[in-house]
């Protein structure tokens, strides 16, 4: 059995939702797993496992839109203040734990250190659909695409193999077919155990307050359904057709009992809604290409609609066509649960990496780290 260092991004809850069943599977196979994370990922997984907290990087939004300058500014400030300490902390942990394999769900620090130390590295995320697959999207999104591509390739592009989890299946680019595998969404046990039903309600989860303020007047004016609104803390007050609730596991139960879901463009929540058979009205954060491409493919595949600037007319169109979206989702239902396929492939890939001759851990000095990172980024 292997010693596995597992790192996941803490920007949002989606990475934690996906990593939880993966970690559970690794433990069931008898592997020893050490987990590192930050932010929301640390908060979520700490309820189930012992997690080492590290520095986290995030995308900064302002007024419902990604602010590239603020994101870069915050990233460099954090790296300048805490980056060296985080690297030293992780290097010491790796030297002590002696991992056989590192697995990263879009966690940049262990991805870089694993590559520098030449430890076998597996990547599991949905973000690499951006760099490794052929995507269709409006030409006006090119700037956002290039920004997202640069982040993926710079911070998390070093793995021996990439598992790309996705509810849609764009074709892999030719030069990545040997090192990337597409799988369906990785779902946590709590989702798989739900028994979907259909009450006259629509579940809403909006991550950013600015987007919540945009959608609030639209749902306040509509009738016919009751809305269960999560993510609106301090924004709205109770009304005849809206109940405001705090985010927790109750959201999953409410979503399973709803006719549809209104949310941003996060991959994990969209995937969970699709598995439960719930049409989606997606309102992605403007400028966040990963959310935008997920929302775009929700509409392209016929599972719902998306809108960067939501309107009452667009919301009404969505509500009028719920049955059509459900038929399309039923058509593709086999694509919405990738657990069995993924776990089998993960076991096989890990066994392959473990059969390789063991290489001694490389002592990390600052000149070596700088040299190696430059060579990786320049790939």
């Amino acid at each position: 059995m292997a010693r596995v260092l597992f790192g996941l991004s803490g920007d949002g809850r989606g990475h934690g939702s996906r990593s939880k069943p993966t970690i559970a599977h690794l433990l069931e196979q008898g592997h020893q797993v050490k987990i590192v994370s930050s932010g929301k990922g640390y908060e979520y997984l700490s309820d189930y496992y012992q997690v080492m907290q590290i520095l986290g990087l995030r995308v900064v939004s302002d007024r419902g839109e990604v602010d590239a300058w603020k994101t870069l500014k915050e990233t460099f400030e954090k790296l300048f203040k805490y980056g060296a300490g985080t690297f030293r902390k992780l290097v010491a942990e790796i030297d002590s734990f002696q991992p056989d394999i590192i697995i990263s769900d879009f966690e940049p620090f262990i991805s870089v250190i694993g590559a520098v130390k030449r430890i076998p590295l597996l990547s599991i995320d949905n973000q690499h659909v951006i760099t490794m697959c052929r995507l269709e999207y409006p030409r006006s999104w090119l700037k956002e695409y290039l920004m997202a591509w640069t982040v993926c390739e710079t911070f998390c592009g070093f793995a021996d193999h990439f598992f790309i989890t996705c509810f849609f299946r764009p074709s892999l680019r030719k030069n990545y077919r040997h090192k990337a595998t597409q799988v369906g969404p990785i779902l946590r046990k709590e989702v798989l155990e739900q028994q979907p039903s259909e009450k006259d309600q629509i579940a809403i989860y909006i991550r950013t307050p600015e987007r919540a303020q945009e959608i609030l007047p639209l749902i306040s004016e509509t009738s016919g359904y009751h809305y269960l609104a999560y993510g609106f803390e301090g924004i709205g007050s109770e009304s005849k057709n809206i109940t405001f609730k705090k985010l927790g596991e109750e959201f999953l139960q409410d979503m399973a009992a709803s006719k549809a879901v209104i949310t941003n463009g996060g991959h994990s929540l969209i995937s969970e809604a699709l598995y439960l058979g719930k049409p989606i009205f997606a309102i992605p954060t403007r400028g966040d290409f990963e959310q935008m491409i997920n929302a775009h493919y929700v509409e392209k595949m016929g599972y719902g609609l998306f809108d960067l600037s939501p309107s009452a007319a667009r919301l009404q169109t969505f509500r009028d066509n719920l049955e059509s979206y459900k038929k399309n989702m039923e058509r593709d239902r086999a694509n919405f649960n990738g657990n069995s396929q993924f776990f089998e492939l993960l076991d096989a890939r890990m066994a392959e990496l473990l059969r390789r001759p063991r290489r001694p851990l490389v002592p990390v000095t600052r000149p070596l780290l700088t040299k190696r990172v430059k060579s990786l980024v320049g790939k």
Side-chain angles (χ1 to χ4, degrees), residues 289-301:
F289 184 80
E290 188 241 319
Q291 286 202 10
M292 291 160 65
I293 200 66
N294 292 333
H296 173 76
Y297 272 90
V298 163
E299 182 165 330
K300 179 178 172 60
M301 302 299 290

Side-chain angles (χ1 to χ4, degrees), residues 165-200:
T165 173
C166 199
F167 64 87
F168 57 99
R169 296 294 182 94
S171 60
L172 283 166
R173 294 182 182 275
K174 185 176 181 180
N175 54 324
Y176 289 115
R177 291 174 188 168
H178 69 289
K179 65 180 304 183
T181 303
Q182 289 178 302
V183 295
I186 304 167
L187 302 172
R188 52 196 170 119
K189 181 179 68 173
E190 292 87 345
V191 176
L192 300 175
E193 291 176 344
Q194 293 296 317
Q195 298 296 323
S197 60
E198 283 197 10
K199 298 180 181 178
D200 287 331

Side-chain angles (χ1 to χ4, degrees), residues 38-265:
S38 59
K40 297 292 185 182
Y42 172 80
E43 293 172 9
Y44 177 71
L45 284 183
S46 291
D47 289 338
Y48 305 96
Y49 304 109
Q50 184 175 350
V51 183
M52 176 181 172
Q53 188 172 19
I54 60 172
L55 171 66
L57 305 177
R58 68 183 184 116
V59 174
V60 180
S61 298
D62 185 23
R63 298 180 183 178
E65 184 171 355
V66 168
D67 191 314
W69 168 245
K70 287 184 179 179
T71 298
L72 287 172
K73 183 174 182 291
E74 180 179 293
T75 297
F76 283 114
E77 286 178 350
K78 283 185 174 181
L79 290 175
F80 180 77
K81 290 181 180 179
Y82 310 113
T86 299
F87 273 106
R88 285 195 297 268
K89 181 179 180 180
L90 282 172
V91 167
E93 192 67 29
I94 288 173
D95 290 344
S96 172
F97 183 55
Q98 297 274 311
D100 301 299
I101 293 175
I102 294 177
I103 297 178
S104 171
D105 188 328
F106 214 63
E107 203 301 300
F109 291 106
I110 65 164
S111 297
V112 171
I113 294 173
V116 170
K117 280 182 163 287
R118 302 185 181 93
I119 301 170
L121 175 63
L122 293 176
S123 170
I124 305 168
D125 61 47
N126 64 286
Q127 280 80 6
H128 277 94
V129 73
I130 297 169
T131 60
M132 298 185 175
C133 296
R134 297 186 182 280
L135 300 174
E136 298 178 19
Y137 57 88
R139 290 182 61 87
S140 60
W141 294 4
L142 181 60
K143 180 183 72 172
E144 289 82 0
Y145 166 75
L146 293 174
M147 186 186 305
W149 187 96
T150 302
V151 171
C152 288
E153 199 66 12
T154 301
F155 289 105
C156 300
F158 322 132
D160 294 277
H161 196 82
F162 295 82
F163 289 103
I164 304 173
T165 173
C166 199
F167 64 87
F168 57 99
R169 296 294 182 94
S171 60
L172 283 166
R173 294 182 182 275
K174 185 176 181 180
N175 54 324
Y176 289 115
R177 291 174 188 168
H178 69 289
K179 65 180 304 183
T181 303
Q182 289 178 302
V183 295
I186 304 167
L187 302 172
R188 52 196 170 119
K189 181 179 68 173
E190 292 87 345
V191 176
L192 300 175
E193 291 176 344
Q194 293 296 317
Q195 298 296 323
S197 60
E198 283 197 10
K199 298 180 181 178
D200 287 331
Q201 65 187 38
I202 292 178
I204 307 176
Y205 170 58
I206 300 295
R207 181 178 171 185
T208 56
E210 295 85 1
R211 288 310 234 176
Q213 288 176 332
E214 285 184 57
I215 193 69
L216 186 57
L218 306 183
I219 60 177
S220 299
E221 296 168 6
T222 60
S223 59
Y225 293 111
H226 191 79
Y227 294 93
L228 303 177
Y230 290 81
F232 290 71
E233 286 83 356
I235 296 175
S237 56
E238 297 294 325
S239 67
K240 62 180 181 180
N241 69 327
I242 307 173
T243 299
F244 295 94
K245 309 182 78 170
K246 290 186 177 181
L247 187 63
E249 287 302 326
E250 190 178 348
F251 170 75
L252 186 56
Q253 299 165 15
D254 285 339
M255 180 167 67
S258 296
K259 283 188 175 292
V261 175
I262 299 174
T263 187
N264 297 119

